[in-house]
Amino acid sequence: MDTVIRGARVIDGSGAPAQRADVGLTDGRITEIRPEREGGGAAARLTARHTLDAEGLALAPGFIDMHAHSDLALLRDPDHSAKAAQGVTLEVIGQDGMSYAPADDRTLAGVRRAITGWNGDGGDIDFDWRTVGGYLDRLDRQGIAVNAAYLIPQGTVRALAVGWDDRPATEDELRRMRQLVAEGMAEGAVGMSSGLTYTPGMYAPTAELTELCRVVAEHGGYYCPHHRSYGAGALEAYEEMVGLTREAGCALHLAHATMNFGVNEGRAPELLALLDRALAEGADISLDTYPYTPGCTTLVAMLPSWASEGGPEKVLERLADPATRARIRHTMEVEGADGCHGVPIEWDTIEISGVSDPALRPYVGSTVAESARARGEEPFVTAHRLLTEDRLGTTILQHVGHEENVRAIMRHPAHTGGSDGILQGDKPHPRAYGTFPRYLGRYVRELGVLSLEECVAHLTSRPAARLRLPDRGLVREGYRADLVLFDPDTVAAGSTFEVPRAYPTGIPHVLIDGRYVVRDGHRTDVLAGRSVRSA
């Protein structure tokens, strides 16, 4: 064998009790698991060219981040310790309905502008692809730190076929969108995502989404929506997603599923009851969450959808017009914009986490309300200045979550882990660097919300099952040697809201295909990641 991991506490990802065992690896696969005899000691210890003494460590399958925004970070940053150091061995990208394939030159330029706050403007990237297959080929050709699976972004597809206008698609445009989704699935995408509070994806009616989900289902994929509201009308938004995927015969995976804002405090049981009824009726549903209460997005996402129609340049034109700007303000502060989930915006919950223009960095770390008070102006005036001077590139933390909802949802059997990690900005959300160790340290060891074995299953085998990966997500003979070793007594997220880019503790070793990407707590130079394509 190439490597033997000796004496580890094997938590195999199935939810079964841990057992001490030697685990042998050869050619990137788990080739033998030899449990210790009762009373201690293996019947005969496994031997290999290299031996890792794992005394005191737990051995688990590599963690699968079901909601990542590393679409350009994988190409920009070969080190990618933000995820590798957490024990993540596979990320699912192409999230929230906006990414960089499929596209033409015109669409790509608009998408780059629209999600600068998520991934940067991409000026340092050679966009030498236009198709889903071309993007996945680029990942493989360049070599990446961790594995990556891709969701076809429905908003990008709509921008390519329809444009950025708020109108129904014509028959020809719908036919074109179905074709684009079918091509993307055939080229290796695992499903389709939507961002239904982001333009232009939000302009798609239920019937249009249903038609695209039929195509996804024909190719064995799943639909991953950021649905129309996490605030006012949240349950109705969840019901829409459950209903349309049932009609389309498509598996459903709810992105960063939670119940936010004051209107939803304590209402997670209502969401879970809705899902349980659908599951009992035969629906195929899973979900992901991150173990934090604040969310993270862009400041421009808070605007009403009508103000974003036509794309980024149209947004800036409307913000420059006094009458339209006043209408935008009224919608946001009085009526509750759909971009802010139907809830009147509370500027003291909106913290600036990143800017594209370095001259605006003094705003970072303060809420819009705090910055406004310091300048002796109204909060909307401050927000307007940021939007215009930063050319819509500002990212925010939105402090609107509820801890009891977070805990209730993570206990559900359909739950998986997703960081929703945006790596841009001077002060990103700590979930980008801390989601998986925080689950293990905070919610397992400190709070006991989940048992260790159950939590590992949420982070490994359950997402692997959703992705239909036949040889990942478990510590089993014949499976890929994508593995993480951690100390259950010390594992913890190092990242905080004050120091968001600190690495975790208690995760000394991470392997992908049997190769160390993290060894003795340090990132190696190994690029063992590849695109993971649907079969």
Side-chain angles (χ1 to χ4, degrees):
M1 297 181 187
D2 297 330
T3 301
V4 166
I5 301 171
R6 180 161 291 171
R9 177 184 173 187
V10 177
I11 303 172
D12 70 2
S14 69
Q19 62 173 346
R20 284 178 59 89
D22 291 354
V23 177
L25 316 177
T26 305
D27 294 332
R29 298 274 175 174
I30 300 169
T31 46
E32 188 169 352
I33 302 172
R34 187 169 295 180
E36 288 190 355
R37 294 177 303 188
E38 288 190 24
R45 306 310 295 254
L46 297 181
T47 60
R49 286 187 288 276
H50 304 284
T51 299
L52 175 64
D53 182 0
E55 183 68 31
L57 297 177
L59 173 67
F63 304 136
I64 298 176
D65 188 343
M66 286 295 288
H67 193 105
H69 286 283
S70 303
D71 306 48
L72 298 186
L74 285 164
L75 297 172
R76 176 184 294 125
D77 176 22
D79 182 76
H80 205 43
S81 288
K83 294 302 178 64
Q86 294 185 60
V88 171
T89 58
L90 171 60
E91 299 182 285
V92 185
I93 55 178
Q95 298 284 354
D96 292 330
M98 292 296 282
S99 190
Y100 306 96
D104 57 17
D105 292 351
R106 173 188 56 83
T107 303
L108 182 60
V111 168
R112 288 174 60 181
R113 284 291 309 280
I115 56 176
T116 292
W118 295 357
N119 298 315
D121 66 9
D124 55 339
I125 302 293
D126 177 12
F127 289 87
D128 60 351
W129 68 86
R130 292 295 180 269
T131 65
V132 170
Y135 174 69
L136 298 177
D137 288 344
R138 170 66 182 277
L139 297 179
D140 290 340
R141 188 167 63 251
Q142 180 165 321
I144 51 179
V146 303
N147 297 307
Y150 190 75
L151 295 168
I152 300 165
Q154 170 259 330
T156 303
V157 167
R158 198 173 210 271
L160 180 56
V162 181
W164 296 77
D165 297 332
D166 183 3
R167 64 171 177 81
T170 67
E171 286 297 321
D172 285 344
E173 289 166 343
L174 181 57
R175 189 178 303 111
R176 175 64 173 146
M177 285 190 282
R178 287 176 53 90
Q179 178 186 359
L180 289 166
V181 172
E183 290 171 354
M185 293 298 299
E187 291 166 6
V190 295
M192 181 180 74
S193 74
S194 281
L196 299 179
T197 63
Y198 302 126
T199 56
M202 61 161 39
Y203 300 139
T206 302
E208 180 181 309
L209 296 171
T210 302
E211 286 303 305
L212 299 184
C213 282
R214 294 187 199 280
V215 179
V216 174
E218 290 168 3
H219 288 81
Y222 68 93
Y223 181 43
C224 180
H226 164 133
H227 52 273
R228 298 192 195 275
S229 177
Y230 291 81
L235 281 178
E236 293 81 1
Y238 281 114
E239 288 171 350
E240 179 193 11
M241 298 300 103
V242 171
L244 77 85
T245 50
R246 288 292 299 275
E247 182 177 347
C250 185
L252 172 64
H253 180 85
L254 295 166
H256 38 60
T258 189
M259 300 283 284
N260 287 335
F261 302 91
V263 295
N264 289 318
E265 186 172 2
R267 297 187 67 192
E270 297 176 56
L271 165 61
L272 300 178
L274 166 66
L275 300 183
D276 285 338
R277 287 193 298 271
L279 289 164
E281 294 167 358
D284 183 0
I285 300 175
S286 56
L287 56 91
D288 65 67
T289 70
Y290 46 83
Y292 298 86
T293 52
C296 179
T297 186
T298 57
L299 183 57
V300 68
M302 298 292 100
L303 300 182
S305 58
W306 58 262
S308 295
E309 183 181 3
E313 290 303 323
K314 291 294 184 181
V315 177
L316 292 169
E317 289 178 15
R318 293 185 181 102
L319 288 169
D321 176 69
T324 307
R325 185 165 68 245
R327 182 185 170 200
I328 290 171
R329 178 176 182 174
H330 181 81
T331 303
M332 296 178 72
E333 295 185 340
V334 179
E335 298 175 3
D338 47 5
C340 195
H341 307 274
V343 176
I345 197 162
E346 297 174 340
W347 294 112
D348 59 350
T349 69
I350 307 297
E351 179 184 354
I352 305 305
S353 61
V355 292
S356 296
D357 183 349
L360 299 172
R361 281 179 178 161
Y363 288 91
V364 173
S366 298
T367 67
V368 172
E370 289 168 342
S371 292
R373 283 194 294 270
R375 289 164 174 78
E377 61 191 19
E378 295 180 322
F380 182 82
V381 176
T382 301
H384 173 258
R385 179 183 296 110
L386 280 164
L387 287 165
T388 54
E389 293 183 10
D390 208 26
R391 306 288 294 177
L392 312 182
T394 304
T395 53
I396 62 169
L397 304 182
Q398 193 170 18
H399 296 268
V400 293
H402 304 285
E403 179 67 20
E404 69 272 23
N405 286 349
V406 170
R407 297 188 193 186
I409 293 168
M410 74 169 62
R411 291 189 185 102
H412 195 273
H415 170 264
T416 67
S419 70
D420 196 11
I422 293 176
L423 300 169
Q424 288 294 114
D426 291 322
K427 195 185 177 195
H429 197 302
R431 68 193 184 192
Y433 285 71
T435 287
F436 294 88
R438 182 171 170 85
Y439 268 117
L440 300 169
R442 176 69 173 159
Y443 288 92
V444 172
R445 185 179 63 246
E446 296 177 8
L447 299 177
V449 175
L450 298 168
S451 72
L452 183 58
E453 289 85 353
E454 184 180 12
C455 184
V456 168
H458 284 229
L459 307 181
T460 59
S461 64
R462 291 183 189 175
R466 165 53 68 222
L467 296 167
R468 299 187 178 182
L469 303 177
D471 57 357
R472 300 177 196 264
L474 292 167
V475 181
R476 293 278 170 83
E477 292 178 0
Y479 275 56
R480 290 183 179 273
D482 293 355
L483 303 166
V484 56
L485 289 109
F486 63 92
D487 184 344
D489 296 329
T490 64
V491 62
S495 60
T496 64
F497 287 99
E498 292 72 30
V499 187
R501 286 193 169 90
Y503 295 121
T505 57
I507 304 180
H509 308 292
V510 182
L511 299 92
I512 296 179
D513 274 355
R515 303 166 65 193
Y516 288 96
V517 296
V518 175
R519 188 164 193 173
D520 296 322
H522 299 287
R523 177 74 172 92
T524 70
D525 60 0
V526 170
L527 297 176
R530 293 293 182 270
S531 66
V532 175
R533 310 190 192 207
S534 60

